[in-house]
Amino acid sequence: MNPVAAGHQEDFKLKDTKPQLGERWPHGGIRGGGGWIGSDRATSTYDLVEQMFYLYVRVVKARDLPTNPVSGSCDPYVEVKLGNYKGKTRHFEKKTNPEWKQVFAFSKDKIQSSVIEVFVRDREVVTRDDYIGKVVFDMNEVPTRVPPDSPLAPQWYRLEDRKGDTKVRGEIMLAVWMGTQADEAFPEAWHSDAAAVDGEGIYSVRSKVYVSPKLWYLRVNVIEAQDMEAVDRSQAPQVFVKAQVGNQVLKTKLCPTRTTNPMWNEDLLFVAAEPFEEQLVLTVENRASSSKDEIVGRINLPLTIFERRLDHRPVHSKWFNLEKYGFGVLEGDKRHELKFSSRIHLRVCLEGAYHVLDESTMYISDTRPTARQLWKQPIGVLEVGILSAQGLIPMKKKEGSADKTDAYCVAKYGLKWVRTRTILGNFNPKWNEQYTWEVYDPCTVITLGVFDNCHLGGGGKADSRIGKVRIRLSTLETDRIYTNSYPLLVLQPSGVKKMGELQLAVRFTSLSLANIIYLYTHPLLPKIHYLHPFTVNQLDSLRYQAMNIVAVRLGRAEPPLRKEVVEYMLDVDSHMWSMRRSKANFFRVVSLFSGLINISRWLGEVRYWKNPVTTILVHVLYFILICYPELILPTMFLYMFLIGIWNFRHRPRLPSHMDTKLSWAEAVHPDELDEEFDTFPTSKLQDVVKMRYDRLRSVAGRIQTVVGDIATQGERFQALLSWRDPRATSLFVVFCLIAAVALYVTPFMLIAIVAGLFWLRHPRFRSKMPSVPSNFFRRLPSRADSML
C-alpha cells in the first residue's frame, strides 16, 4: 500500500488566509484616505484582489521621422527601457509616420531606475540599428490614473539626441502613467514579467475571457423513403440511413424487409454549435451483402434551414429529393432531366428548450436552456479574485538550466471561461485578477484549474496540469468574502501529490432571496428534460460530442484555450473505470447507511435492556404515541428540527475542497493507480491485463452474489401467494384469514400495545433460536434452483 504520511495530511487541507484586499495606495494610503490622491468615490470593483501597481507606457505613433542617408528609407521601431527591462514594438518598413498603438506595463515592485527611456530606432539588417531619437521621463513626475477615470490623453514629444541636449527631427506620441491591474490597458499590454517571451509566444501569456459556443441539440427524425433503387435492379433494396454532422455519425436500423419504400421513424440526435459551419449529410445505403454497403442516395442540408423550437410542439415534416448514385452518376447531366427521383421524408429541428450538457450534472455550472428567450433573470453575482499560487513544484526540468514553472489559471462557470496571464519562471506567481459571473442557479459549481504553459516558444507540447479546485455556490454564505488557500492535488501513477496551493477570494452576492427559495422548489434542468428525457446512452454520447465541440471552438481563439485544458476542466475521462473510484463510491454508500446502522444498534440495545432506564423511557414514549397517534408526525418533525438547530453550531465554516480520504487516494494500491492511468484500449502486457481481468472477475463475482441474494429474498416474497410451494401458500392464506378476522374484532390500539411489548420484552423471555416468521420465510422457494 502507499499510505500518505500524517504530516502531509495537514497539507491536503483547506487553509484560511488574510490577504490585504482592496485598493491601497502608496505611502500607506487607502483609496480616498489621503495617499497619492484624495477621493470621496467608492472603492472600485477590484476589491477581491491585492493591489498591484504598474507603470504604463502607451506608444501610439510617430511622425516626420528622418530617413537613413544611405538607404534613403526608414524602418522604425520603438524600444521602451526601464532599468534592466526592455520592450520593443514591431517595426515598419519604409515608413516615416508609423502607428504602433501598443502598451507596455512594468511591475512597480521590480522598478530599479528613476527614469524611463523611450528610444526610436531604425532597423538595419546587416549593421547595428541606427539611433533616431529618444524621450526621457522622470519617475517622480509620472501621474497616477485611477479607474474609472478616463484614459490619459497621449501627447506629442520632440525626439532628443543621445545626450538629451538638443532636439532632433521627428516626434512621437506617448502617454505614461502609474496604474493598477484594474486599468483597461492591462490585459493587452506587454508585461515586463514576460520580457523573455517573443514572437508568437507573446500571445499565449496574456489574460483573456472566452465564451463557450452556443450549443443546440439537433433532432433528426427519419420517417421513410420512397422509390429507392439498388444498383442491381433485379432485387429490391434493403436500406438504412446514415446521418453525419461534422465528426458525428449515426445510423438508423436496417429496414427488416427488402422494399423500395422503407420506413424507420427513428430519432437521431446530434450536437451543433453556432455559427453553424457543418451540414447535415444524409446517405441512404443498401445492404448489398454482409460485408458491403452501397450508396443509393445522398443529400446535404445546411442547418440554418431547420426550425428552432422552444417547446415540444410538433414540427412539420418535409420531403427531400436525393441525389442519385451509382448508375445515375454515369449518365452525367441527364440525371437532372429525370422526372423520377428517390426522396426521403424527414422531420428535423433544433431543440432550444434543452440545456446541452457538456459537463457532468454532479458539478454542473449552467442549467439554462439553449434559447435565450427562455432564460430567467439572474439571482445573484459571483465574484472571484484569483490572487496567487504558493509552493508550485518545478514543471519544466532541463539539464543545464534551472527548473521553472510558467503558471496560469483558468476558471470556468456557465458559458464564460477566463484565463489569467502567465507568470514566467515563478513558483509563487501572483495574478491578482478579479472576474465576475452572473448566477442563474445557486446549486452550481465553479471550476478553477492551474496549468503550466508549454507554448511560450511555439512548441507543440501539451500544457501540463498542476491542479484543480471546485467550489459549490450553494455552500457559500451570501455577501461573505471567503479568502482561502486551496491545495492543488493531482493523482499520479505514483500516488496523490500536492502540486502547490491556490489562493482565492470568493464572494457570492444574492440579488433576490425570494428567487433563490423559488429555485429550490424547481427542477435543476429545464422541464423538457423530464417531460421528454433522453436515454443514459444518448446523454453520454451527446455530452462527449459537446465537449469535443467546445474544445475545438475554444482552441481556435487567440490565444487558444487548448484541448487538454478544456478536457481537464470538463472531466472528459470521469466515466472511465477506476478501482479506486469504485471503492470510494462504495464507502460513500456505506457511510450513508451508517446512521441507520447506529439507530438499529441503539434499538437492539433497547430491546435487550442494556440500559434499563433508557428502555423504560422508550416504553413510556411508545405508550404515549399509541394513545395519541396524532403526535407521531409532529414528534418526528420536531425531532429533526432540534437536530438541525443543534448541528448549526458545527456547520462547515470553509468551502468544500478535494478530499483525499473521501477519494480513497491516500491508501490506494500502486497497481490500481497504474490501471487507472492506462490508455483505452489498454497498452499493457498480456500478463498484466490477465491479472487485472481476474481481479475484476473476483470483484464482480462478489457483486453478483449480493445481487443474487437480493433477488432471492424478493422471489420468496412472491412465493407467499404464488402457490409454487402449495403447503407454504396454504398456511399463509389461512394465516391471513385468521389475522384479518382477529384484527377486525380487536381494537388497533390494543394490538399495537401488545406488539410493542412483545418486541421490547426482557431478554429473559427471549429465545436465541430464530423466530417462527423467520423460519417460515427462509423455507420459501426462490428461482435460484432454476438457474444454470
Side-chain angles (χ1 to χ4, degrees), residues 188-400:
E188 296 294 334
W190 172 96
H191 286 271
S192 58
D193 294 337
V197 181
D198 54 8
E200 295 296 324
I202 193 68
Y203 298 105
S204 66
V205 301
R206 292 175 175 171
S207 58
K208 287 292 179 183
V209 175
Y210 306 83
V211 178
S212 291
K214 188 175 183 180
L215 301 178
W216 294 78
Y217 284 138
L218 176 68
R219 188 188 295 272
V220 181
N221 180 225
V222 184
I223 304 173
E224 58 180 331
Q226 287 185 354
D227 304 325
M228 306 305 302
E229 288 187 357
V231 176
D232 182 8
R233 298 189 179 184
S234 61
Q235 59 179 353
Q238 188 176 17
V239 297
F240 64 90
V241 177
K242 182 169 74 173
Q244 182 173 356
V245 177
N247 296 325
Q248 307 169 67
V249 180
L250 294 176
K251 299 178 182 179
T252 65
K253 296 178 182 177
L254 186 68
C255 185
T257 59
R258 290 188 173 273
T259 175
T260 57
N261 299 316
M263 294 190 65
W264 297 280
N265 197 25
E266 287 188 37
D267 275 354
L268 304 178
L269 289 165
F270 301 90
V271 179
E274 289 188 6
F276 299 124
E277 300 174 350
E278 298 87 4
Q279 290 187 329
L280 173 62
V281 181
L282 291 168
T283 56
V284 182
E285 301 186 16
N286 176 37
R287 181 62 53 86
S289 64
S290 59
S291 59
K292 181 182 178 183
D293 297 327
E294 57 186 24
I295 299 177
V296 297
R298 177 188 175 100
I299 188 172
N300 292 359
L301 299 172
L303 302 185
T304 52
I305 68 172
F306 300 129
E307 181 180 350
R308 305 182 184 191
R309 67 174 178 180
L310 308 182
D311 49 26
H312 211 267
R313 57 184 172 79
V315 177
H316 296 295
S317 59
K318 292 182 180 180
W319 287 94
F320 296 92
N321 293 331
L322 297 173
E323 299 174 7
K324 288 291 185 180
Y325 264 70
F327 64 89
V329 174
L330 300 177
E331 297 175 1
D333 294 336
K334 291 183 179 180
R335 67 181 184 274
H336 297 293
E337 302 173 5
L338 295 176
K339 296 182 180 180
F340 166 81
S341 174
S342 301
R343 59 179 188 164
I344 189 169
H345 194 192
L346 302 175
R347 182 181 288 110
V348 188
C349 68
L350 292 159
E351 299 281 11
Y354 286 91
H355 169 72
V356 180
L357 294 166
D358 60 350
E359 53 194 348
S360 172
T361 54
M362 295 297 103
Y363 25 82
I364 196 170
S365 64
D366 188 21
T367 61
R368 290 171 292 174
T370 298
R372 184 178 288 271
Q373 302 94 304
L374 302 179
W375 290 6
K376 306 292 185 183
Q377 291 296 318
I379 53 93
V381 175
L382 173 65
E383 299 166 278
V384 177
I386 304 175
L387 303 180
S388 62
Q390 298 292 325
L392 299 182
I393 67 171
M395 300 298 294
K396 298 184 180 75
K397 299 181 180 180
K398 295 183 180 179
E399 296 183 3

Side-chain angles (χ1 to χ4, degrees), residues 66-77 88 91-94 120-132 162:
T67 58
N68 189 304
V70 177
S71 62
S73 62
C74 181
D75 303 334
Y77 70 90
K88 296 181 181 180
H91 81 281
F92 291 97
E93 294 184 1
K94 300 179 180 180
V120 182
R121 301 185 188 275
D122 181 11
R123 183 173 181 179
E124 298 292 340
V125 178
V126 180
T127 61
R128 185 178 180 182
D129 293 348
D130 290 339
Y131 173 89
I132 297 178
R162 294 182 184 274

Side-chain angles (χ1 to χ4, degrees), residues 452-471:
D452 178 50
N453 196 331
C454 298
H455 293 81
L456 301 180
K461 186 179 178 182
D463 289 352
S464 303
R465 307 171 179 178
I466 296 180
K468 182 165 55 179
V469 172
R470 295 195 197 100
I471 303 174

Side-chain angles (χ1 to χ4, degrees), residues 532-547:
H532 303 279
F534 298 133
T535 65
V536 175
N537 290 336
Q538 284 177 328
L539 284 176
D540 288 342
S541 174
L542 292 171
R543 182 192 167 212
Y544 180 76
Q545 299 299 338
M547 286 191 293

